Amino acid sequence: MRQTSGVRGDLRLRPVRPAGWWFDGLLLAAVVALTVALASGHLFGLDRAVADWSDENRPAAARWVAMTLNLLGQGTPLTLLAAGLGVLLAWRVRSVRPLLPPVAGFVLTFFTIGPLKVWTARPAPSASVKEPFLSPEQTLPLFQHDLPVRFAQSYPSGHVANAIVWYGVLALLLAPLVRTLGRTVPPRLVTVVRVVPPAVVFCTTVYLGWHWLTDSVAGLLLGLLLDRLLHRVPWNSLPLPARLHGWARPAEHLD
């Protein structure tokens, strides 16, 4: 049998707010309900109205500002940043445990957001003004599997979901990393890190016409669900292979 390290603390799931699984169930039900509504042809008027308003109120300067702010939701840079913080914290505390949240975040986002995009096969609002040059009505429905995959990956918004997940991971790593420097992170700053960037990404993604409003709402719901799953994990108590020896020690304040 494969041996695991003796570091086995409290393996109970960590509390999240709101407490309990009812809120997770509500988020999942909301994603399902929104998807069913769109598949049935509902909410298209709302999406179209928001997209048209954005098109009519997007001067060049505002567009460039929005594009710059939207970079806060780029999945690959966020993944690398979280991995970098995990490596740095792991080196400072001499434990591999800070690497676990970024790895789990990558696995969760890779096996949820991407497959959902491919399965729902929805074009973005901009698909009517650039390739594949669909009519405005054709850009709204889901399940357009006759289109090439690259033209039908709008639902749910990966920018929004990734932002929620990865800024949650960054916030999780930031506090213990700063503590290794003899300082503390104010709880309000942690809240700002977790809330402000995703909110900015949500607004700019819709404003730029890169996603429908309902795409971003679905990304918000999915991102919150994944974030709650990640923050429930008792990272310091998970059993690790015994061959890691001292590198399996708990990382202070990681949970």
Side-chain angles (χ1 to χ4, degrees):
M1 296 178 61
R2 178 180 297 178
Q3 293 183 336
T4 56
S5 69
V7 181
R8 292 174 181 264
D10 187 356
L11 284 174
R12 289 179 299 178
L13 297 178
R14 296 298 180 249
V16 293
R17 293 186 299 175
W21 289 95
W22 67 269
F23 192 70
D24 303 74
L26 183 62
L27 291 171
L28 181 59
V31 173
V32 173
L34 181 58
T35 305
V36 171
L38 291 170
S40 302
H42 297 291
L43 302 177
F44 288 174
L46 175 62
D47 277 338
R48 184 79 268 167
V50 172
D52 289 344
W53 182 92
S54 298
D55 289 340
E56 295 166 2
N57 295 273
R58 194 189 303 129
R63 178 175 177 270
W64 281 106
V65 170
M67 289 177 62
T68 301
L69 292 175
N70 193 260
L71 294 175
L72 292 170
Q74 293 294 320
T76 299
L78 287 174
T79 303
L80 294 176
L81 179 59
L85 284 184
V87 170
L88 179 59
L89 179 59
W91 177 78
R92 292 190 65 85
V93 300
R94 297 299 190 271
S95 171
V96 299
R97 293 185 182 274
L99 301 177
L100 301 181
V103 171
F106 175 80
V107 171
L108 272 182
T109 54
F110 184 83
F111 286 104
T112 54
I113 300 172
L116 277 174
K117 283 176 169 289
V118 174
W119 176 62
T120 54
R122 190 188 199 188
S126 57
S128 62
V129 296
K130 62 181 183 181
E131 284 191 288
F133 297 106
L134 304 174
S135 68
E137 294 74 19
Q138 287 180 294
T139 59
L140 286 159
L142 275 64
F143 306 122
Q144 299 195 50
H145 295 289
D146 55 320
L147 294 174
V149 172
R150 69 183 185 277
F151 295 139
Q153 296 191 55
S154 188
Y155 182 91
S157 169
H159 277 71
V160 176
N162 276 315
I164 294 173
V165 170
W166 287 116
Y167 283 103
V169 172
L170 291 174
L172 182 67
L173 298 173
L174 183 62
L177 178 60
V178 171
R179 285 184 181 276
T180 66
L181 303 175
R183 299 180 180 274
T184 59
V185 178
R188 288 186 178 180
L189 179 58
V190 174
T191 301
V192 168
V193 170
R194 295 189 64 182
V195 173
V196 174
V200 170
V201 171
F202 182 102
C203 295
T204 55
T205 297
V206 175
Y207 179 66
L208 290 166
W210 291 350
H211 283 284
W212 300 104
L213 175 62
T214 51
D215 296 342
S216 291
V217 172
L220 173 66
L221 296 170
L222 179 61
L224 288 174
L225 178 60
L226 298 180
D227 177 75
R228 286 172 62 83
L229 293 177
L230 286 171
H231 279 80
R232 276 193 165 95
V233 178
W235 302 108
N236 274 329
S237 305
L238 296 178
L240 296 177
R243 61 176 175 270
L244 292 174
H245 303 294
W247 283 86
R249 65 167 60 91
E252 189 178 0
H253 303 294
L254 182 58
D255 287 339

